[in-house]
Structure formats: structure tokens, C-alpha cells
Amino acid sequence: MSKTAALASRNQEPLALSVEDVIKAGGTPSDERPTGVIVTIDGTAGTGKSTVAKLLANRLNFDFLDTGAMYRACALLSIAHGIQINQSGPPPHPLLAVVQRAALHFDWSLPTPEICVFGNPVEGLIRTKPVTARVREVALIPELRDHLVRLQQLIGKQRPWLVTEGRDQGTAVFPDAPVKFFLDADLTLRAERRKRQVKDLADTPIAEIKNELDLRDRSDRSELGGLREPHDAVRLANNSDDPLVIVEQMATLVRERMAARNLPGRP
Ligand code: DC
């Protein structure tokens, strides 16, 4: 049996507790002084966000949250369970129940945490072509987004020294984060990076890739859960080939802000 089929055949008993129940049980009093420092990184596609976020987390000794991996894991589950994304029935979308049963979580014991579904690490399956082809549509399901946003907020409570990367982190997920970044990069550089990274684009002219990226930026900004620049984010352009250049700049800014606001370092 393939790993994907094995995932589909796991025990499908519903969880007795919802994410809200767990958050309530945690019982964080609303007047409690926040502990930790959440750093959000949002930005356009192909700006090297993940690389920068991982390096920054490492530099600060914070945890790193890859929210795209969560959407990708949901896309994988939809394939494994044969669930169509375009459904005509009333909400909630049937994928939501599967995602809830799968108890999406990260294995934080690894240097770069891996996403798990039904207790299995699936990092090796989520960056494949079928998942990449489906994830955009999956990320448009409103009740699924709500679920993942709540999970991300829960992770923020459990691992409060966090660098989190996505497209809605400084707006929908952690609007009160003390440090927010918005990454962009020169369109030609982004197109060149993409050409290097995606084998299928090896023979495609740069002008065509640039055009595609430009179109994607426009639709990214207009769709549900789409890319939104936080009004209080520090905007940076990742135009160097060496990601450490921007990471140093960001780490300095985080430390300055922590000192200015008297925010606690990680114990
Ligand atoms: O960053 P990535 O390519 O792994 O993201 C996968 C998909 O999930 C992509 O279509 C954008 C979407 N996504 C999202 O809608 N919200 C997030 N916070 C992160 C990713």
C-alpha cells in the first residue's frame, strides 16, 4: 500500500475535543501579560520567505512555523481520501472533518519541525506536483482556513518564541505580534529564482515567468485569505543572493524591538 493510501485507511474516529475546547481548557486569562515574542513574515511568492524565516528562527533561537506546510498537508489529505475540492453541497466542506480527525501537528523535536497527519510525518509528500497543483484551491475553503488559523494561534500559545511565515500571519493570525515583516523582491530576481528552482521552467523565457508571477501577485492579493500587507509591518526587499544579508538586518531589528518594549528572551 502506498504511504498516501495508508493515510487514507487510518482510524477515522472523530476527536472528542475541538480546537476551541482545548484553547478554553488552557484558560489563558485575558489580562495575563503575554509571554514570548511572535515574529511574522508575510510576502509575495518567490521572495525566499521560507529560507529567510528558517534562518531567522535559528539565529534568534526561536521556533519556526511553516504555515504553507499546513495547507499542503490538507491538500495531501484531500488526495488520499479522494475528496473533491469543488463541492456543491452546503458547508462545512467534507475535507474539514478529515483534517480534524487527522490531528494536524508538527514534530517539534526536529531541528526543522515536520508536519504530521494521523501521527505520520508527511514532509516527504507535501512538496510533490499533485499537492502543489491542488493546494491553492484547498486554501480557499473558508472553514478550513478558520480551522488552520485557530491551530496556528494555538501553536503561538504553546511555542510563544516563534518566527511564523505565510501570507496572513501579521494580519489574520497574529495581528498583535510585536514584530512583523513583509518581504518582497525584484520581479526579475524572483523570476530567475523560480527558473532555477522549478525544473519544468528551464526552457521558459524569463519574460514569460515574470508575467506569470505578476498575474499571480494580483490574484493572490484579491482572493480569500489572500496576501495582505500588515499596516505595521517592516517592508524589506530580499534582493541579495545571500539570504544572510537580510536575516542579519531582521535579527537586529527584532532584538532592538525586544529591548525597547522590554520583551522577554527565550528562557
Ligand atoms: O508557501 P507555500 O507554497 O508552501 O504555500 C502553499 C499554499 O498555501 C499556497 O497556495 C499559499 C497557501 N497559503 C495560504 O493560503 N496561507 C498561508 N498562511 C500559507 C500558505
Side-chain angles (χ1 to χ4, degrees), residues 82-161:
I83 296 174
Q84 292 303 316
I85 304 308
N86 293 316
Q87 298 268 341
S88 49
H93 194 286
L95 181 57
L96 179 65
V98 175
V99 169
Q100 284 171 331
R101 285 200 303 270
L104 229 66
H105 67 282
F106 285 90
D107 179 352
W108 295 99
S109 67
L110 302 169
T112 301
E114 281 197 22
I115 186 103
C116 301
V117 299
F118 292 113
N120 293 306
V122 289
E123 176 60 41
L125 295 172
I126 61 170
R127 317 230 175 238
T128 51
K129 263 196 177 169
V131 169
T132 302
R134 187 175 278 221
V135 65
R136 227 172 132 79
E137 273 184 306
V138 166
L140 291 176
I141 303 171
E143 52 275 35
L144 190 81
R145 287 204 79 82
D146 289 347
H147 179 68
L148 294 191
V149 164
R150 288 196 301 272
L151 275 181
Q152 289 156 17
Q153 289 168 336
L154 185 60
I155 292 171
K157 282 179 193 282
Q158 293 166 336
R159 313 197 76 87
W161 281 273

Side-chain angles (χ1 to χ4, degrees), residues 238-253:
N238 187 18
N239 287 339
S240 165
D241 274 340
D242 179 2
L244 287 175
V245 173
I246 201 168
V247 169
E248 276 312 320
Q249 230 180 316
M250 292 164 91
T252 303
L253 204 138

Side-chain angles (χ1 to χ4, degrees), residues 14-122:
L15 285 178
L17 288 175
S18 68
V19 172
E20 286 83 355
D21 290 333
V22 176
I23 292 174
K24 273 188 218 139
T28 310
S30 56
D31 59 353
E32 191 176 285
R33 199 176 175 282
T35 310
V37 178
I38 299 209
V39 177
T40 64
I41 305 181
D42 296 301
T44 44
T47 47
K49 264 181 305 171
S50 297
T51 308
V52 164
K54 241 179 260 174
L55 289 168
L56 180 65
N58 194 274
R59 181 57 50 100
L60 296 168
N61 189 27
F62 285 14
D63 288 311
F64 161 62
L65 175 61
D66 175 359
T67 61
M70 299 171 82
Y71 288 92
R72 287 174 178 274
C74 293
L76 176 69
L77 285 167
S78 79
I79 295 169
H81 287 254
I83 296 174
Q84 292 303 316
I85 304 308
N86 293 316
Q87 298 268 341
S88 49
H93 194 286
L95 181 57
L96 179 65
V98 175
V99 169
Q100 284 171 331
R101 285 200 303 270
L104 229 66
H105 67 282
F106 285 90
D107 179 352
W108 295 99
S109 67
L110 302 169
T112 301
E114 281 197 22
I115 186 103
C116 301
V117 299
F118 292 113
N120 293 306
V122 289

